[in-house]
Amino acid sequence: MSPAVHLAATGHGFLSPTGVEIAFLLVGIATFGAAVVTVTTKQLVHAALWLVVALGGLAVEYLLLTAEFIAWVQVLIYVGSVVVLLLFGLMLTKAPIGRSPDADSGNRPAALAVAVAAAGALVWVVVDAFRTTWIELDKGVQGSTAVSGESLFRHWVLPFEALSVLLLAALVGAIVLSRKSGADSGRGGTGHGKEKR
């Protein structure tokens, strides 16, 4: 039996979505909106908070796909660690709390073109790879902890380690910049004191 005949026989299709598929689509739209606000807002703290919403939306998507382990990894690592690290970096570098005109860039058309091209390539790859694949959401959990963990830590160890080194370097850089700016302001204050004497 061909995949098309199998899909027709099982009744799956885009014109007859289930409740889970509708919820998946609505959460996806909300997550996309939060991601757009994250990269367009001029307030860095608000961008970090909207990033929490976007990453939380991805965790909900994983839950709807019955991948509970990946959903909790998303919450614990990305929402719980990456965003907290980002906020610490903002505080250590004394980033402005309000609107930051300096955060805007004049390369918006180029950035938009790259983003659209990357999104189109990702959508094409995913649709081409999983065109005839359907997940039976009513048959329990599909992605168990053992299978997901083995796949992640056997084939994706190097990206995880590279990400951890990158985050550590970002935090160390933020601490160095904050200490350097504090030392410069202290020297300036001492110089003014000497002039007054």
Side-chain angles (χ1 to χ4, degrees):
M1 181 181 292
S2 66
V5 174
H6 176 68
L7 290 176
T10 55
H12 287 297
F14 294 106
L15 298 179
S16 59
T18 63
V20 176
E21 291 170 348
I22 294 173
F24 185 88
L25 180 62
L26 294 177
V27 173
I29 293 172
T31 304
F32 178 75
V36 170
V37 175
T38 300
V39 298
T40 55
T41 184
K42 293 185 179 180
Q43 298 192 9
L44 298 179
V45 176
H46 288 182
L49 297 178
W50 279 109
L51 181 61
V52 172
V53 177
L55 295 176
L58 288 177
V60 174
E61 298 283 55
Y62 288 129
L63 282 177
L64 292 174
L65 291 174
T66 68
E68 282 84 357
F69 173 69
I70 303 298
W72 286 116
V73 168
Q74 176 80 14
V75 171
L76 292 175
I77 294 180
Y78 288 96
V79 178
S81 301
V82 173
V83 175
V84 170
L85 184 63
L86 179 62
L87 290 174
F88 268 107
L90 291 176
M91 288 187 292
L92 287 171
T93 54
K94 298 177 182 178
I97 300 299
R99 294 174 65 85
S100 303
D102 296 338
D104 200 3
S105 174
N107 298 324
R108 281 193 173 188
L112 182 61
V114 171
V116 170
L122 287 174
V123 169
W124 180 78
V125 168
V126 170
V127 169
D128 185 63
F130 300 100
R131 186 185 305 274
T132 58
T133 303
W134 293 88
I135 298 175
E136 296 293 339
L137 300 176
D138 298 331
K139 292 186 177 179
V141 178
Q142 301 289 325
S144 65
T145 305
V147 175
S148 302
E150 183 179 359
S151 176
L152 282 175
F153 296 109
R154 174 174 293 179
H155 305 292
W156 300 98
V157 174
L158 186 60
F160 270 95
E161 294 300 326
L163 179 62
S164 64
V165 172
L166 180 64
L167 294 174
L168 179 62
L171 184 59
V172 171
I175 293 173
V176 170
L177 288 175
S178 65
R179 290 175 62 88
K180 186 176 180 181
S181 62
D184 291 342
S185 63
R187 289 173 189 164
T190 305
H192 289 301
K194 288 181 178 178
E195 288 175 2
K196 288 180 180 178
R197 287 179 188 173

mmCIF file of all heavy atoms in Angstrom, residues 8 58 61 72 76 130 133-134 187:
data_model
loop_
_atom_site.group_PDB
_atom_site.id
_atom_site.type_symbol
_atom_site.label_atom_id
_atom_site.label_comp_id
_atom_site.label_asym_id
_atom_site.label_seq_id
_atom_site.Cartn_x
_atom_site.Cartn_y
_atom_site.Cartn_z
ATOM 1 N N ALA A 8 -5.029 8.200 2.944
ATOM 2 C CA ALA A 8 -6.445 8.315 2.626
ATOM 3 C C ALA A 8 -7.267 7.318 3.430
ATOM 4 O O ALA A 8 -8.382 7.600 3.855
ATOM 5 C CB ALA A 8 -6.651 8.084 1.122
ATOM 6 N N LEU A 58 7.343 26.782 22.638
ATOM 7 C CA LEU A 58 7.950 25.593 22.040
ATOM 8 C C LEU A 58 7.809 24.383 22.958
ATOM 9 O O LEU A 58 7.577 23.253 22.494
ATOM 10 C CB LEU A 58 9.430 25.847 21.751
ATOM 11 C CG LEU A 58 9.736 26.785 20.581
ATOM 12 C CD1 LEU A 58 11.232 26.990 20.463
ATOM 13 C CD2 LEU A 58 9.190 26.222 19.290
ATOM 14 N N GLU A 61 4.431 23.024 22.502
ATOM 15 C CA GLU A 61 4.357 22.275 21.245
ATOM 16 C C GLU A 61 4.899 20.862 21.414
ATOM 17 O O GLU A 61 4.330 19.895 20.890
ATOM 18 C CB GLU A 61 5.147 23.013 20.149
ATOM 19 C CG GLU A 61 4.632 24.405 19.810
ATOM 20 C CD GLU A 61 3.392 24.388 18.946
ATOM 21 O OE1 GLU A 61 2.404 23.734 19.348
ATOM 22 O OE2 GLU A 61 3.404 25.032 17.891
ATOM 23 N N TRP A 72 10.309 19.102 28.907
ATOM 24 C CA TRP A 72 10.912 19.487 30.179
ATOM 25 C C TRP A 72 12.353 19.933 30.005
ATOM 26 O O TRP A 72 12.825 20.819 30.726
ATOM 27 C CB TRP A 72 10.820 18.324 31.169
ATOM 28 C CG TRP A 72 9.427 18.146 31.696
ATOM 29 C CD1 TRP A 72 8.621 17.070 31.521
ATOM 30 C CD2 TRP A 72 8.677 19.100 32.452
ATOM 31 N NE1 TRP A 72 7.401 17.295 32.123
ATOM 32 C CE2 TRP A 72 7.405 18.533 32.708
ATOM 33 C CE3 TRP A 72 8.937 20.377 32.938
ATOM 34 C CZ2 TRP A 72 6.420 19.192 33.415
ATOM 35 C CZ3 TRP A 72 7.947 21.041 33.649
ATOM 36 C CH2 TRP A 72 6.714 20.448 33.880
ATOM 37 N N LEU A 76 13.642 23.451 31.407
ATOM 38 C CA LEU A 76 14.724 23.510 32.395
ATOM 39 C C LEU A 76 15.981 24.166 31.844
ATOM 40 O O LEU A 76 16.608 24.989 32.520
ATOM 41 C CB LEU A 76 15.056 22.094 32.889
ATOM 42 C CG LEU A 76 13.967 21.419 33.722
ATOM 43 C CD1 LEU A 76 14.360 19.980 34.034
ATOM 44 C CD2 LEU A 76 13.713 22.184 35.004
ATOM 45 N N PHE A 130 9.268 14.828 6.324
ATOM 46 C CA PHE A 130 8.156 14.228 7.072
ATOM 47 C C PHE A 130 6.826 14.397 6.351
ATOM 48 O O PHE A 130 5.774 14.508 6.990
ATOM 49 C CB PHE A 130 8.066 14.855 8.464
ATOM 50 C CG PHE A 130 9.307 14.667 9.283
ATOM 51 C CD1 PHE A 130 10.238 15.690 9.403
ATOM 52 C CD2 PHE A 130 9.563 13.467 9.917
ATOM 53 C CE1 PHE A 130 11.388 15.525 10.151
ATOM 54 C CE2 PHE A 130 10.707 13.290 10.668
ATOM 55 C CZ PHE A 130 11.629 14.320 10.786
ATOM 56 N N THR A 133 4.646 11.338 7.160
ATOM 57 C CA THR A 133 4.770 10.826 8.520
ATOM 58 C C THR A 133 3.716 11.469 9.412
ATOM 59 O O THR A 133 3.601 12.688 9.448
ATOM 60 C CB THR A 133 6.165 11.122 9.086
ATOM 61 O OG1 THR A 133 7.141 10.549 8.213
ATOM 62 C CG2 THR A 133 6.326 10.536 10.475
ATOM 63 N N TRP A 134 2.980 10.648 10.118
ATOM 64 C CA TRP A 134 1.960 11.132 11.043
ATOM 65 C C TRP A 134 2.206 10.507 12.407
ATOM 66 O O TRP A 134 2.529 9.327 12.514
ATOM 67 C CB TRP A 134 0.545 10.781 10.563
ATOM 68 C CG TRP A 134 0.171 11.496 9.314
ATOM 69 C CD1 TRP A 134 0.399 11.089 8.031
ATOM 70 C CD2 TRP A 134 -0.480 12.752 9.210
ATOM 71 N NE1 TRP A 134 -0.068 12.008 7.138
ATOM 72 C CE2 TRP A 134 -0.623 13.054 7.835
ATOM 73 C CE3 TRP A 134 -0.968 13.663 10.130
ATOM 74 C CZ2 TRP A 134 -1.227 14.212 7.374
ATOM 75 C CZ3 TRP A 134 -1.568 14.818 9.679
ATOM 76 C CH2 TRP A 134 -1.693 15.090 8.319
ATOM 77 N N ARG A 187 38.355 55.436 38.953
ATOM 78 C CA ARG A 187 39.498 56.308 38.685
ATOM 79 C C ARG A 187 39.057 57.720 38.374
ATOM 80 O O ARG A 187 39.664 58.687 38.799
ATOM 81 C CB ARG A 187 40.303 55.750 37.516
ATOM 82 C CG ARG A 187 41.060 54.479 37.832
ATOM 83 C CD ARG A 187 41.685 53.907 36.593
ATOM 84 N NE ARG A 187 42.241 52.596 36.824
ATOM 85 C CZ ARG A 187 42.563 51.748 35.876
ATOM 86 N NH1 ARG A 187 42.372 52.089 34.601
ATOM 87 N NH2 ARG A 187 43.067 50.570 36.157
#
